[in-house]
Amino acid sequence: MNDGKSPLVSVVLPTYNRAWTVRSAIDSVLNQDYTALELIVVDDGSTDGTADLLVDYGTQIQVIRQSNQGVSAARNAGIQAAEGNLIALLDSDDAWLPGKVAAQVDFFSRHPDALICQTEELWIRNGARVNPGKRHRKEGGMIFERSLGLCLVSPSAVMLRRSLLDEVGGFDPDLPACEDYDLWLRIAWKYPIHLIERPLIVKHGGHADQLSRMPELDKYRIRSITRLLQCGCLSEDQQTAAIAMLKNKCAIYAQGCRKRGRIAEAGEYEKLTEKF
C-alpha cells in the first residue's frame, strides 16, 4: 500500500481468540485514506478460528503466528517485523475512525521534533456510548506525574517514531498486564506525549477478556514505578511524585493482601517503600 513518497506507517495489531471483533479492527485500518501503510497482524496462538479469518485478507495484511506469549511479546514481534519509521498500534477490540492515520502523519510532518502522539477517543462499554471520568482526561505534554496513578495513553490511539522505541525498548513481556502503563512511563519521564484533540478511535470495553479487568493491576504498576526509581533517571520533582505514588499503591495492595490472608506478601510491599 506504500506509494513510495509518503512516510511508511507500520500498524501492529496483536490478537488472541478475538475472531468476534478482529475483523472490525482490521477493516478500520484498511479503510483509512492514507495508503502508505503496512498492517501486521500478530496471531498470538488463537484457537478460535482467527487464523482462518485472517487468510481471507490475502496480501492486504502481513500475518505473524506464534504460540501464546501474551500481548507484549505479540506487539514486540510485530514491531520487530515492521519496516516503517512510524509505528501505530491497534488493539483487536478497538477500531480507528476515518482520517486517523493521516491526521497523525500530518502532525509529525508539522512537528519534526515530536516523537509520540495520541488522539482523543470515543468509549463504548457493553455496546453503549459512555463518557470517560475526569481522572481519565487526556492532556498533551509532559504528563509523567499524572500518568503515575493510572494509564492515560491508549495503545490504539498512539503513533510514535521507530527511533523512540529503539531508544526506550519495547513492551515488557514479563508484565501480564499494565505493559502499556510501563512503556508510557518510560517515555513520559523524558519526552512530551502529544495529543491530537480529535476523537479518532473507538475504544471498546466491558468484555470479559480485557487485560484491564485482571485482578491486582497495582502489583504491576508498583513494579514499573520501582524500576524507574531504581534507574536514577527521574528529576527531583518526578522522584518525589513517584515515591508518593509508590507508597500509596503499596499501602493499598498490602491492605488487600492482608484481607486475603497473604500476610507475608503484605509485609514485602510494606517494606518496599522503605528503600526510597
Side-chain angles (χ1 to χ4, degrees):
M1 300 176 69
N2 191 358
D3 59 14
K5 300 177 182 178
S6 304
L8 177 63
V9 176
S10 295
V11 183
V12 176
L13 195 166
T15 190
Y16 173 66
N17 284 349
R18 280 186 172 166
W20 59 276
T21 187
V22 69
R23 188 180 294 277
S24 175
I26 292 172
D27 290 348
S28 76
V29 176
L30 298 180
N31 290 333
Q32 292 290 306
D33 56 3
Y34 187 86
T35 59
L37 58 81
E38 61 174 1
L39 173 54
I40 303 169
V41 180
V42 184
D43 183 0
D44 190 38
S46 296
T47 59
D48 67 342
T50 293
D52 292 336
L53 181 154
L54 297 179
V55 169
D56 293 343
Y57 287 94
T59 58
Q60 294 181 91
I61 65 176
Q62 177 182 343
V63 178
I64 297 174
R65 292 190 173 88
Q66 62 183 34
S67 60
N68 183 240
Q69 300 173 48
V71 67
S72 290
R75 288 198 188 113
N76 289 344
I79 291 168
Q80 184 175 8
E83 296 185 359
N85 290 322
L86 292 172
I87 307 292
L89 306 171
L90 177 58
D91 289 343
S92 56
D93 56 344
D94 296 335
W96 288 349
L97 294 171
K100 191 263 190 189
V101 175
Q104 289 184 290
V105 171
D106 178 67
F107 177 87
F108 281 117
S109 69
R110 290 184 291 103
H111 300 88
D113 294 332
L115 296 175
I116 178 172
C117 73
Q118 65 171 329
T119 75
E120 277 289 2
E121 58 200 26
L122 302 178
W123 280 20
I124 304 293
R125 290 288 180 270
N126 298 313
R129 170 79 184 274
V130 297
N131 293 320
K134 289 184 178 179
R135 70 191 190 113
H136 292 281
R137 177 179 53 83
K138 291 187 177 186
E139 62 183 50
M142 299 299 293
I143 63 172
F144 176 80
E145 284 87 345
R146 275 203 69 216
S147 299
L148 287 166
L150 75 168
C151 191
L152 295 176
V153 181
S154 300
S156 297
V158 160
M159 185 179 289
L160 66 168
R161 297 191 191 274
R162 178 62 175 266
S163 59
L164 179 58
L165 287 172
D166 291 340
E167 176 184 344
V168 305
F171 293 91
D172 184 351
D174 292 330
L175 291 174
C178 299
E179 78 296 331
D180 50 344
Y181 169 93
D182 175 75
L183 178 59
W184 312 140
L185 284 186
R186 284 189 275 128
I187 292 172
W189 76 265
K190 188 174 183 180
Y191 297 112
I193 297 178
H194 301 278
L195 175 65
I196 296 175
E197 296 181 357
R198 289 168 52 197
L200 290 170
I201 74 165
V202 178
K203 188 175 177 63
H204 293 276
H207 40 279
D209 66 346
Q210 279 191 290
L211 292 179
S212 59
R213 294 168 67 98
M214 289 182 63
E216 304 179 340
L217 292 180
D218 268 344
K219 177 168 66 174
Y220 309 119
R221 297 184 181 119
I222 288 168
R223 191 185 305 178
S224 296
I225 296 172
T226 300
R227 288 191 301 196
L228 272 177
L229 287 169
Q230 291 171 337
C231 81
C233 57
L234 304 181
S235 70
E236 184 176 347
D237 288 345
Q238 290 173 336
Q239 184 96 353
T240 299
I243 290 173
M245 186 58 66
L246 179 67
K247 290 181 177 180
N248 175 265
K249 289 190 178 298
C250 282
I252 294 172
Y253 185 77
Q255 183 180 40
C257 289
R258 291 190 178 279
K259 286 182 179 179
R260 293 165 178 81
R262 292 164 15 209
I263 306 304
E265 186 179 4
E268 291 175 6
Y269 281 88
E270 288 165 346
K271 291 180 181 178
L272 177 60
T273 57
E274 297 175 4
K275 299 179 180 180
F276 304 103

